[in-house]
Amino acid sequence: MTDYGYFLSCEEHTPQGLVEQARMAEDAGFTSLWISDHFHPWTGEQGQSPFVWSVIGALSQATSLPVQTAVTCPTVRMHPVVTAQAAATSAVLLGPGRFRLGVGSGEALNEHVLGGRWPEAPIRLEMLTEAVEVMRRLFTGEEVSHRGRHYTVENARLYTVPDEPVPVDVSAFGPAALKVAAQIGDGLVTMAPEKQAVERFRSLAGADKPAIGGIKVCWGTDRDAAVDTAHRLWAVEQLPGELNQVLPTPGHFEQAATMVPRGKVAESVVCGDDADAHVAALRAYADAGFARVHVGQMGREQRGFFDFYATKVLPRLAG
């Protein structure tokens, strides 16, 4: 049985707007929340990027839904010790079973801002593995000292920790990252409904570990206008290869997005108000074996989206 949550986009919305969307998501029947964790938006047109940990604190008081970061990079901009403290406090605020930490190896867009060199992909995965090891030790509430290849920790102890360690789910988009996710993660985070990847993850990690996914759509009564919105805001999601990991600024992403034709977005993104199309896109995740999928609405038409999903989409997925 697949659960359906809502994907909060910190790239597009103010902190207050995100909290209001979380309330609307709960009222509409969504059962969980994903929230992105970036320093920059992908493009200036998206226009926002609040500090995710402050927003999670507000969400803990505004909704009863569980929350997961999608995803946090605990390796460069945020040291794993600081990330562990943020995650542990979020878990305490939200309450038992309501917080999962999604982690990934990051993008230069967000992580190079402190001026360090952006490592190659194998090194980023190595750093992520060590960071997760450090965070898991800290979640015990015991004093931790660590001297590894990438991180040094001296006499660090978290005094505010949840009763149970924070679950850590790992993002993966390729074979090497999938192997790492299986080795160090409590679950898999990914955006595409690829059954083969889910089966590979479970064969390596264990059948009881969940695959958790996300998808962005653009609801609207005028499909052409919805496609225009999706192309304007999220053409960057159609960029090939490693561009999303290595481009350093929103300006570079704006330049790269000019290479993505509108037709590519129209083919790849569910746009408009055809309930069958929305239901089919989400059922693809259920068919691929996902335990949970989060759907995010591109653009400003939030109220109409939630009404549409509450009446036309979620009831059909529950059957």
Side-chain angles (χ1 to χ4, degrees):
M1 183 69 176
T2 302
D3 293 328
Y4 298 93
Y6 186 70
F7 192 169
L8 295 166
S9 174
C10 284
E11 298 89 345
E12 291 187 59
H13 302 286
T14 65
Q16 297 91 333
L18 294 166
V19 172
E20 179 58 27
Q21 287 169 34
R23 293 191 182 103
M24 290 192 289
E26 185 166 21
D27 290 343
F30 289 99
T31 59
S32 60
L33 298 169
W34 250 16
I35 185 165
S36 54
D37 179 4
H38 285 171
F39 186 83
H40 291 136
W42 297 98
T43 67
E45 186 70 31
Q46 292 173 352
Q48 294 289 331
S49 195
F51 189 55
V52 71
W53 303 104
S54 299
V55 180
I56 290 172
L59 294 174
S60 74
Q61 306 303 301
T63 174
S64 65
L65 297 181
V67 178
Q68 180 172 40
T69 55
V71 291
T72 293
C73 178
T75 59
V76 180
R77 171 174 51 99
M78 290 272 287
H79 191 281
V81 167
V82 179
T83 306
Q85 186 183 30
T89 298
S90 296
V92 170
L93 274 171
L94 284 157
R98 287 185 56 207
F99 181 73
R100 297 181 75 92
L101 177 63
V103 299
S105 59
E107 308 92 11
L109 173 71
N110 305 298
E111 306 306 320
H112 86 290
V113 294
L114 300 184
R117 177 180 176 273
W118 184 235
E120 295 182 347
I123 302 301
R124 299 200 303 269
L125 290 173
E126 190 178 90
M127 294 170 70
L128 181 63
T129 298
E130 186 176 338
V132 170
E133 175 191 347
V134 168
M135 292 191 296
R136 289 196 188 279
R137 291 175 63 190
L138 286 163
F139 291 149
T140 67
E142 298 177 357
E143 184 177 297
V144 174
S145 291
H146 169 89
R147 284 174 177 80
R149 180 174 178 181
H150 301 288
Y151 303 106
T152 297
V153 181
E154 291 187 353
N155 309 120
R157 178 184 171 189
L158 298 182
Y159 281 81
T160 300
V161 293
D163 292 336
E164 297 293 331
V166 176
V168 182
D169 300 324
V170 180
S171 174
F173 295 97
L178 191 69
K179 184 177 181 180
V180 169
Q183 291 171 340
I184 68 173
D186 295 308
L188 171 69
V189 171
T190 190
M191 292 295 288
E194 296 177 354
K195 185 174 184 178
Q196 186 175 5
V198 173
E199 291 176 344
R200 177 61 174 161
F201 171 77
R202 289 190 174 136
S203 73
L204 295 170
D208 59 331
K209 292 191 175 181
I212 304 172
I215 181 175
K216 288 188 176 70
V217 303
C218 193
W219 173 87
T221 56
D222 182 334
R223 185 177 186 275
D224 285 340
V227 171
D228 289 341
T229 296
H231 185 250
R232 175 173 56 85
L233 292 174
W234 287 100
V236 293
E237 286 206 329
Q238 308 304 321
L239 294 175
E242 288 191 75
L243 285 178
N244 280 327
Q245 281 73 52
V246 301
L247 294 179
T249 70
H252 288 96
F253 277 95
E254 289 163 9
Q255 293 169 26
T258 63
M259 298 185 293
V260 179
R262 181 182 182 277
K264 174 68 172 175
V265 173
E267 293 173 2
S268 304
V269 179
V270 177
C271 295
D273 61 353
D274 181 346
D276 289 343
H278 287 263
V279 169
L282 295 181
R283 279 188 176 154
Y285 289 83
D287 293 343
F290 281 73
R292 182 175 293 168
V293 58
H294 300 81
V295 54
Q297 162 70 352
M298 301 177 183
R300 303 300 177 193
E301 297 290 340
Q302 296 294 321
R303 171 52 69 187
F305 164 86
F306 285 116
D307 290 343
F308 174 73
Y309 264 67
T311 58
K312 302 290 181 61
V313 179
L314 294 179
R316 290 174 59 181
L317 293 168

